[in-house]
Coordinates of all heavy atoms in Angstrom, one line a residue:
H289 N 24.7 -44.9 22.6 CA 24.9 -43.5 22.3 C 26.5 -43.2 22.2 O 27.3 -44.0 22.8 CB 24.4 -42.6 23.3 CG 22.9 -42.5 23.3 ND1 22.2 -42.1 22.1 CD2 22.0 -42.9 24.2 CE1 20.9 -42.2 22.4 NE2 20.7 -42.7 23.6
L290 N 26.8 -42.1 21.5 CA 28.2 -41.8 21.5 C 28.6 -40.9 22.7 O 27.7 -39.9 23.0 CB 28.5 -41.0 20.2 CG 28.7 -41.8 18.9 CD1 28.7 -41.0 17.7 CD2 30.1 -42.6 19.0
S291 N 29.7 -40.8 23.2 CA 30.3 -40.0 24.3 C 31.3 -39.0 23.7 O 31.9 -39.4 22.7 CB 30.8 -40.7 25.5 OG 29.9 -41.7 25.8
N292 N 31.5 -37.9 24.4 CA 32.5 -37.0 23.9 C 33.9 -37.5 24.3 O 34.1 -38.0 25.4 CB 32.3 -35.6 24.6 CG 31.0 -35.0 24.3 OD1 30.7 -34.6 23.2 ND2 30.1 -35.0 25.4
V293 N 34.9 -37.3 23.5 CA 36.3 -37.5 23.8 C 37.1 -36.2 23.3 O 36.6 -35.5 22.3 CB 36.9 -38.7 23.2 CG1 36.4 -40.0 23.9 CG2 36.8 -38.8 21.7
D294 N 38.0 -35.9 24.1 CA 39.0 -34.8 23.6 C 40.1 -35.4 22.7 O 40.5 -36.5 23.0 CB 39.5 -34.1 24.8 CG 38.5 -33.3 25.6 OD1 37.5 -33.0 25.0 OD2 38.7 -33.0 26.8
I295 N 40.6 -34.6 21.9 CA 41.6 -35.1 20.9 C 42.7 -34.1 20.8 O 42.4 -32.9 20.7 CB 41.0 -35.3 19.4 CG1 39.8 -36.2 19.4 CG2 42.1 -35.6 18.5 CD1 40.2 -37.7 19.6
K296 N 44.0 -34.5 20.8 CA 45.1 -33.7 20.5 C 45.9 -34.3 19.4 O 46.4 -35.4 19.7 CB 45.9 -33.5 21.8 CG 47.1 -32.5 21.6 CD 47.7 -32.3 23.0 CE 48.9 -31.4 22.8 NZ 49.5 -31.0 24.1
T297 N 46.1 -33.7 18.3 CA 46.8 -34.5 17.3 C 48.3 -34.3 17.6 O 48.8 -33.2 18.1 CB 46.7 -33.8 15.9 OG1 47.1 -32.4 15.9 CG2 45.2 -33.8 15.5
M298 N 49.0 -35.4 17.3 CA 50.5 -35.5 17.7 C 51.2 -36.3 16.7 O 50.6 -37.2 16.0 CB 50.6 -36.1 19.1 CG 50.1 -35.3 20.3 SD 51.1 -33.8 20.5 CE 52.4 -34.5 21.5
P299 N 52.6 -36.2 16.5 CA 53.2 -37.2 15.7 C 53.1 -38.6 16.2 O 52.7 -38.9 17.4 CB 54.7 -36.8 15.9 CG 54.7 -35.4 16.4 CD 53.4 -35.2 17.1
Y300 N 53.1 -39.6 15.4 CA 53.0 -40.9 15.7 C 53.9 -41.4 16.9 O 55.0 -40.9 16.9 CB 53.3 -41.9 14.5 CG 53.0 -43.3 14.8 CD1 51.7 -43.8 14.5 CD2 54.0 -44.2 15.2 CE1 51.4 -45.1 14.7 CE2 53.7 -45.6 15.4 CZ 52.4 -46.0 15.1 OH 52.0 -47.4 15.3
P301 N 53.4 -42.1 17.9 CA 52.1 -42.8 17.9 C 51.0 -42.0 18.5 O 49.9 -42.6 18.9 CB 52.4 -44.0 18.8 CG 53.5 -43.5 19.8 CD 54.3 -42.4 19.0
G302 N 51.0 -40.7 18.5 CA 49.9 -39.9 18.9 C 48.8 -40.0 18.0 O 48.8 -40.6 16.9
F303 N 47.7 -39.2 18.3 CA 46.5 -39.1 17.4 C 46.9 -38.4 16.1 O 47.4 -37.4 16.1 CB 45.3 -38.5 18.1 CG 44.0 -38.6 17.3 CD1 43.2 -39.6 17.8 CD2 43.7 -37.9 16.2 CE1 42.0 -39.9 17.0 CE2 42.5 -38.1 15.5 CZ 41.7 -39.2 15.9
P304 N 46.7 -39.2 14.9 CA 47.1 -38.6 13.6 C 46.3 -37.4 13.2 O 45.0 -37.4 13.3 CB 46.8 -39.8 12.6 CG 46.1 -40.8 13.3 CD 46.1 -40.4 14.8
T305 N 47.0 -36.4 12.8 CA 46.3 -35.2 12.2 C 45.4 -35.6 11.0 O 44.4 -35.0 10.7 CB 47.3 -34.1 11.8 OG1 46.6 -33.0 11.1 CG2 48.4 -34.6 10.8
D306 N 45.9 -36.7 10.3 CA 45.0 -37.0 9.1 C 43.7 -37.7 9.5 O 43.0 -38.1 8.6 CB 45.9 -38.0 8.3 CG 47.1 -37.4 7.6 OD1 47.1 -36.1 7.6 OD2 48.0 -38.1 7.2
L307 N 43.4 -37.9 10.7 CA 42.1 -38.4 11.2 C 41.3 -37.3 12.0 O 40.3 -37.5 12.6 CB 42.1 -39.7 12.0 CG 42.6 -40.9 11.1 CD1 43.0 -42.1 12.0 CD2 41.5 -41.2 10.1
Q308 N 41.9 -36.1 12.1 CA 41.3 -35.0 13.0 C 39.9 -34.6 12.4 O 38.9 -34.5 13.2 CB 42.3 -33.9 13.1 CG 41.8 -32.7 13.9 CD 41.3 -31.6 12.9 OE1 40.1 -31.3 12.7 NE2 42.3 -31.0 12.2
A309 N 39.9 -34.4 11.1 CA 38.7 -33.9 10.5 C 37.5 -34.9 10.6 O 36.4 -34.7 10.9 CB 38.9 -33.6 9.1
Q310 N 38.0 -36.3 10.4 CA 36.9 -37.3 10.5 C 36.4 -37.5 11.8 O 35.1 -37.7 12.0 CB 37.5 -38.6 10.1 CG 38.1 -38.7 8.6 CD 39.6 -38.2 8.5 OE1 40.0 -37.2 9.1 NE2 40.3 -38.9 7.7
I311 N 37.2 -37.4 12.9 CA 36.7 -37.6 14.3 C 35.9 -36.4 14.7 O 35.0 -36.5 15.6 CB 37.8 -38.1 15.3 CG1 37.1 -38.7 16.5 CG2 38.6 -36.9 15.8 CD1 38.0 -39.8 17.1
M312 N 36.2 -35.3 14.1 CA 35.4 -34.1 14.5 C 33.9 -34.4 14.0 O 33.0 -34.0 14.7 CB 36.0 -32.8 13.8 CG 35.3 -31.6 14.4 SD 36.0 -30.1 13.8 CE 37.6 -30.0 14.1
A313 N 33.8 -34.9 12.8 CA 32.4 -35.2 12.3 C 31.7 -36.1 13.3 O 30.5 -36.0 13.6 CB 32.4 -35.8 11.0
L314 N 32.5 -37.1 13.8 CA 31.9 -38.0 14.8 C 31.4 -37.3 16.0 O 30.4 -37.6 16.6 CB 32.8 -39.1 15.1 CG 32.3 -40.3 16.0 CD1 31.4 -41.2 15.3 CD2 33.5 -41.1 16.4
M315 N 32.3 -36.4 16.6 CA 32.0 -35.7 17.8 C 30.8 -34.8 17.7 O 30.2 -34.4 18.8 CB 33.2 -35.0 18.3 CG 34.3 -35.9 18.8 SD 33.8 -36.9 20.3 CE 33.5 -38.5 19.6
T316 N 30.4 -34.4 16.5 CA 29.1 -33.6 16.4 C 27.9 -34.5 16.7 O 26.8 -33.9 16.9 CB 29.0 -33.0 14.9 OG1 28.7 -34.1 14.1 CG2 30.1 -32.3 14.5
L317 N 28.1 -35.8 16.8 CA 27.0 -36.6 16.9 C 26.7 -37.3 18.3 O 26.0 -38.1 18.4 CB 27.1 -37.8 15.8 CG 27.2 -37.4 14.4 CD1 27.7 -38.6 13.5 CD2 25.8 -37.0 13.9
T318 N 27.5 -36.8 19.2 CA 27.4 -37.3 20.6 C 26.1 -36.8 21.2 O 25.4 -36.0 20.6 CB 28.5 -36.9 21.5 OG1 28.4 -35.4 21.6 CG2 29.9 -37.2 20.9
N319 N 25.8 -37.4 22.4 CA 24.6 -37.1 23.1 C 24.5 -35.7 23.7 O 23.6 -35.4 24.5 CB 24.5 -38.2 24.2 CG 23.2 -38.8 24.2 OD1 22.3 -38.4 23.4 ND2 22.9 -39.6 25.2
G320 N 25.4 -34.9 23.4 CA 25.5 -33.6 24.1 C 26.8 -33.4 24.7 O 27.7 -34.3 24.6
G321 N 27.1 -32.2 25.3 CA 28.4 -32.0 25.9 C 29.5 -31.5 24.9 O 29.1 -31.4 23.7
L322 N 30.7 -31.4 25.4 CA 31.7 -30.7 24.5 C 32.9 -31.6 24.3 O 33.3 -32.4 25.2 CB 32.3 -29.4 25.2 CG 31.2 -28.3 25.5 CD1 31.9 -27.1 26.1 CD2 30.6 -27.8 24.1
S323 N 33.4 -31.6 23.1 CA 34.7 -32.2 22.8 C 35.7 -31.1 22.4 O 35.3 -30.3 21.6 CB 34.6 -33.2 21.7 OG 33.6 -34.0 21.8
V324 N 36.9 -31.2 22.9 CA 37.9 -30.2 22.5 C 38.9 -30.8 21.6 O 39.5 -31.9 22.0 CB 38.7 -29.6 23.8 CG1 39.7 -28.6 23.2 CG2 37.7 -28.9 24.6
I325 N 39.1 -30.4 20.4 CA 39.9 -31.0 19.4 C 41.0 -30.0 19.1 O 40.8 -29.0 18.6 CB 39.2 -31.4 18.1 CG1 38.1 -32.4 18.5 CG2 40.1 -32.0 17.1 CD1 37.3 -33.0 17.3
Q326 N 42.2 -30.4 19.5 CA 43.3 -29.5 19.3 C 44.2 -30.0 18.2 O 44.7 -31.1 18.2 CB 44.2 -29.5 20.6 CG 45.2 -28.5 20.8 CD 46.0 -28.6 22.0 OE1 45.7 -29.4 22.9 NE2 47.0 -27.8 22.2
E327 N 44.5 -29.1 17.2 CA 45.4 -29.5 16.1 C 46.7 -28.8 16.3 O 46.9 -27.7 16.3 CB 44.7 -28.9 14.8 CG 45.6 -29.0 13.5 CD 46.0 -30.4 13.3 OE1 45.1 -31.3 13.0 OE2 47.3 -30.7 13.1
T328 N 47.7 -29.7 16.6 CA 49.1 -29.2 16.9 C 50.0 -29.3 15.7 O 51.1 -28.7 15.8 CB 49.7 -29.9 18.1 OG1 50.1 -31.2 17.6 CG2 48.7 -30.1 19.2
I329 N 49.7 -30.0 14.6 CA 50.7 -30.2 13.5 C 50.5 -29.1 12.4 O 51.5 -28.5 12.0 CB 50.3 -31.6 12.8 CG1 50.3 -32.7 13.9 CG2 51.5 -31.9 11.9 CD1 51.6 -33.0 14.6
F330 N 49.3 -28.9 12.0 CA 49.1 -27.9 10.9 C 48.3 -26.7 11.4 O 47.2 -26.9 12.1 CB 48.5 -28.6 9.6 CG 49.4 -29.5 9.0 CD1 49.1 -31.0 9.0 CD2 50.6 -29.2 8.4 CE1 49.9 -31.9 8.5 CE2 51.5 -30.2 7.9 CZ 51.1 -31.4 7.9
E331 N 48.7 -25.5 11.0 CA 48.0 -24.4 11.5 C 46.7 -23.9 11.0 O 45.9 -23.2 11.5 CB 48.9 -23.1 11.4 CG 49.3 -22.6 10.0 CD 50.5 -23.4 9.5 OE1 50.8 -24.5 9.8 OE2 50.9 -22.9 8.3
N332 N 46.4 -24.7 9.8 CA 45.1 -24.2 9.2 C 44.3 -25.4 8.8 O 43.6 -25.4 7.8 CB 45.6 -23.5 7.9 CG 44.4 -22.7 7.2 OD1 43.4 -22.3 8.0 ND2 44.5 -22.5 6.0
R333 N 44.3 -26.5 9.7 CA 43.5 -27.7 9.2 C 42.1 -27.8 9.8 O 41.7 -28.7 10.4 CB 44.4 -28.9 9.6 CG 44.1 -30.0 8.7 CD 44.9 -31.2 8.8 NE 45.0 -32.0 7.6 CZ 45.5 -33.1 7.4 NH1 46.3 -33.7 8.3 NH2 45.5 -33.8 6.3
F334 N 41.4 -26.6 9.7 CA 40.0 -26.7 10.2 C 39.1 -26.3 9.1 O 37.9 -25.8 9.4 CB 39.8 -25.7 11.4 CG 40.4 -26.2 12.7 CD1 41.1 -25.4 13.6 CD2 40.2 -27.6 13.0 CE1 41.6 -25.9 14.9 CE2 40.7 -28.1 14.3 CZ 41.4 -27.3 15.1
M335 N 39.4 -26.5 7.8 CA 38.6 -26.0 6.7 C 37.3 -26.8 6.6 O 36.3 -26.3 6.0 CB 39.3 -26.2 5.4 CG 40.7 -25.5 5.3 SD 40.5 -23.7 5.5 CE 40.0 -23.3 3.8
H336 N 37.2 -27.9 7.3 CA 35.9 -28.6 7.4 C 34.9 -28.1 8.3 O 33.7 -28.4 8.2 CB 36.2 -30.1 7.7 CG 37.2 -30.3 8.8 ND1 38.6 -30.0 8.6 CD2 37.1 -30.5 10.1 CE1 39.2 -30.2 9.7 NE2 38.3 -30.5 10.7
V337 N 35.3 -27.2 9.2 CA 34.5 -26.8 10.3 C 33.3 -26.0 9.7 O 32.1 -26.3 10.0 CB 35.2 -25.9 11.3 CG1 34.2 -25.2 12.2 CG2 36.2 -26.8 12.0
A338 N 33.5 -25.1 8.8 CA 32.4 -24.2 8.3 C 31.4 -25.2 7.5 O 30.2 -24.9 7.7 CB 32.9 -23.2 7.3
E339 N 31.9 -26.1 6.8 CA 30.9 -27.0 6.0 C 30.2 -28.0 7.0 O 29.0 -28.2 6.8 CB 31.8 -27.9 5.1 CG 32.5 -27.0 4.0 CD 31.5 -26.3 3.1 OE1 31.1 -26.9 2.0 OE2 31.3 -25.1 3.3
L340 N 30.8 -28.4 8.0 CA 30.1 -29.3 9.0 C 29.0 -28.4 9.7 O 27.9 -28.9 9.9 CB 31.1 -29.9 10.1 CG 32.0 -31.0 9.6 CD1 33.0 -31.3 10.7 CD2 31.2 -32.2 9.2
N341 N 29.3 -27.2 10.0 CA 28.4 -26.3 10.6 C 27.2 -26.1 9.6 O 26.0 -25.9 10.1 CB 29.0 -24.9 11.1 CG 29.7 -25.1 12.3 OD1 29.7 -26.0 13.1 ND2 30.6 -24.1 12.6
R342 N 27.5 -26.1 8.4 CA 26.4 -25.8 7.4 C 25.4 -27.1 7.4 O 24.2 -27.0 7.0 CB 26.9 -25.6 6.0 CG 27.6 -24.3 5.8 CD 28.1 -24.0 4.4 NE 27.0 -24.1 3.4 CZ 26.8 -25.0 2.4 NH1 27.8 -25.8 2.3 NH2 25.8 -25.0 1.6
M343 N 26.0 -28.2 7.8 CA 25.1 -29.4 7.9 C 24.4 -29.5 9.3 O 23.8 -30.5 9.7 CB 26.0 -30.7 7.7 CG 26.5 -30.6 6.3 SD 27.6 -32.0 6.0 CE 26.4 -33.4 6.0
G344 N 24.6 -28.5 10.3 CA 23.9 -28.5 11.5 C 24.7 -28.7 12.7 O 24.2 -28.8 13.8
A345 N 26.1 -28.9 12.5 CA 27.0 -29.0 13.6 C 27.1 -27.7 14.3 O 26.9 -26.7 13.8 CB 28.3 -29.6 13.1
H346 N 27.6 -27.9 15.6 CA 27.9 -26.7 16.4 C 29.4 -26.8 16.8 O 29.8 -27.3 17.8 CB 27.0 -26.7 17.6 CG 25.6 -26.6 17.4 ND1 25.0 -25.5 16.9 CD2 24.7 -27.6 17.3 CE1 23.7 -25.7 16.7 NE2 23.5 -27.0 16.9
I347 N 30.2 -26.1 16.0 CA 31.7 -26.1 16.2 C 32.2 -24.7 16.2 O 31.8 -23.9 15.3 CB 32.4 -26.9 15.1 CG1 31.7 -28.3 15.0 CG2 33.9 -27.1 15.4 CD1 32.2 -29.1 13.7
R348 N 33.0 -24.4 17.2 CA 33.6 -23.1 17.3 C 35.1 -23.2 17.3 O 35.6 -24.1 18.0 CB 33.0 -22.5 18.6 CG 33.5 -21.2 19.1 CD 32.7 -20.7 20.3 NE 33.5 -21.1 21.5 CZ 33.1 -21.9 22.4 NH1 31.9 -22.4 22.4 NH2 33.8 -22.1 23.5
I349 N 35.8 -22.3 16.6 CA 37.3 -22.4 16.6 C 37.8 -21.4 17.5 O 37.3 -20.2 17.4 CB 37.8 -22.2 15.1 CG1 37.3 -23.3 14.2 CG2 39.3 -22.3 15.2 CD1 37.7 -23.1 12.8
E350 N 38.7 -21.8 18.4 CA 39.4 -20.9 19.3 C 40.9 -21.2 19.0 O 41.4 -22.1 19.7 CB 39.0 -21.0 20.7 CG 37.7 -20.5 21.0 CD 37.2 -20.6 22.5 OE1 38.1 -21.0 23.3 OE2 36.1 -20.4 22.7
G351 N 41.5 -20.4 18.2 CA 43.0 -20.7 17.9 C 43.2 -22.0 17.3 O 42.6 -22.3 16.3
R352 N 44.0 -22.8 18.1 CA 44.3 -24.2 17.5 C 43.3 -25.2 18.0 O 43.5 -26.4 17.8 CB 45.7 -24.5 17.9 CG 46.8 -23.8 17.2 CD 47.5 -24.7 16.3 NE 48.3 -24.1 15.4 CZ 49.5 -24.7 15.0 NH1 49.9 -25.9 15.5 NH2 50.2 -24.2 14.0
N353 N 42.2 -24.8 18.7 CA 41.2 -25.7 19.2 C 39.9 -25.5 18.4 O 39.5 -24.5 18.2 CB 40.9 -25.5 20.7 CG 42.2 -25.7 21.6 OD1 43.0 -26.5 21.3 ND2 42.3 -24.9 22.7
A354 N 39.3 -26.6 18.2 CA 37.9 -26.6 17.8 C 37.0 -27.2 19.0 O 37.4 -28.3 19.5 CB 37.7 -27.5 16.5
I355 N 36.1 -26.5 19.3 CA 35.1 -26.8 20.5 C 33.9 -27.4 19.8 O 33.1 -26.6 19.2 CB 34.7 -25.7 21.4 CG1 36.0 -24.7 21.6 CG2 34.2 -26.2 22.7 CD1 37.1 -25.3 22.5
V356 N 33.6 -28.6 19.9 CA 32.5 -29.2 19.3 C 31.4 -29.5 20.3 O 31.6 -30.3 21.2 CB 32.9 -30.6 18.6 CG1 31.8 -31.2 17.8 CG2 34.2 -30.4 17.8
R357 N 30.2 -29.0 20.1 CA 29.1 -29.3 20.9 C 28.4 -30.4 20.3 O 27.8 -30.3 19.2 CB 28.2 -28.0 21.2 CG 27.0 -28.3 22.0 CD 26.7 -27.0 22.9 NE 26.5 -25.9 22.1 CZ 25.4 -25.5 21.4 NH1 24.3 -26.3 21.6 NH2 25.2 -24.5 20.7
G358 N 28.2 -31.5 21.0 CA 27.5 -32.7 20.5 C 26.0 -32.5 20.6 O 25.5 -31.4 21.0
G359 N 25.2 -33.5 20.2 CA 23.8 -33.5 20.4 C 23.0 -32.9 19.2 O 21.8 -32.9 19.2
G360 N 23.7 -32.4 18.2 CA 23.1 -31.8 17.0 C 22.7 -32.9 16.0 O 23.4 -33.9 16.0
L361 N 21.6 -32.7 15.4 CA 21.3 -33.6 14.3 C 21.8 -33.1 13.1 O 21.6 -31.9 12.7 CB 19.8 -33.7 14.1 CG 19.0 -34.9 15.0 CD1 17.5 -34.8 14.6 CD2 19.6 -36.2 14.7
L362 N 22.6 -33.9 12.3 CA 23.1 -33.2 11.1 C 22.0 -33.4 10.0 O 21.3 -34.4 9.9 CB 24.4 -34.0 10.6 CG 25.6 -34.0 11.6 CD1 26.8 -34.7 11.0 CD2 25.9 -32.5 11.9
A363 N 22.1 -32.5 9.0 CA 21.1 -32.5 7.9 C 21.9 -32.5 6.7 O 22.8 -31.7 6.6 CB 20.1 -31.4 8.0
G364 N 21.5 -33.2 5.7 CA 22.2 -33.2 4.4 C 22.3 -31.8 3.7 O 21.3 -31.0 4.0
A365 N 23.3 -31.5 3.0 CA 23.4 -30.2 2.4 C 24.4 -30.4 1.2 O 25.0 -31.4 1.0 CB 24.0 -29.2 3.4

Side-chain angles (χ1 to χ4, degrees):
H289 290 300
L290 281 166
S291 313
N292 303 290
V293 287
D294 291 337
I295 301 289
K296 181 176 181 175
T297 63
M298 293 291 277
Y300 189 83
F303 193 94
T305 173
D306 292 344
L307 287 170
Q308 177 260 108
Q310 298 90 316
I311 202 148
M312 193 181 299
L314 185 71
M315 287 300 102
T316 67
L317 300 165
T318 65
N319 225 5
L322 298 179
S323 312
V324 179
I325 300 185
Q326 192 182 354
E327 173 57 57
T328 75
I329 310 290
F330 294 114
E331 66 275 18
N332 194 25
R333 209 173 200 182
F334 283 141
M335 301 299 278
H336 40 286
V337 168
E339 296 297 273
L340 288 173
N341 282 343
R342 290 185 57 241
M343 296 177 71
H346 299 283
I347 309 168
R348 182 173 89 239
I349 299 175
E350 287 182 8
R352 288 248 169 149
N353 296 329
I355 321 287
V356 187
R357 180 148 54 84
L361 269 186
L362 296 183

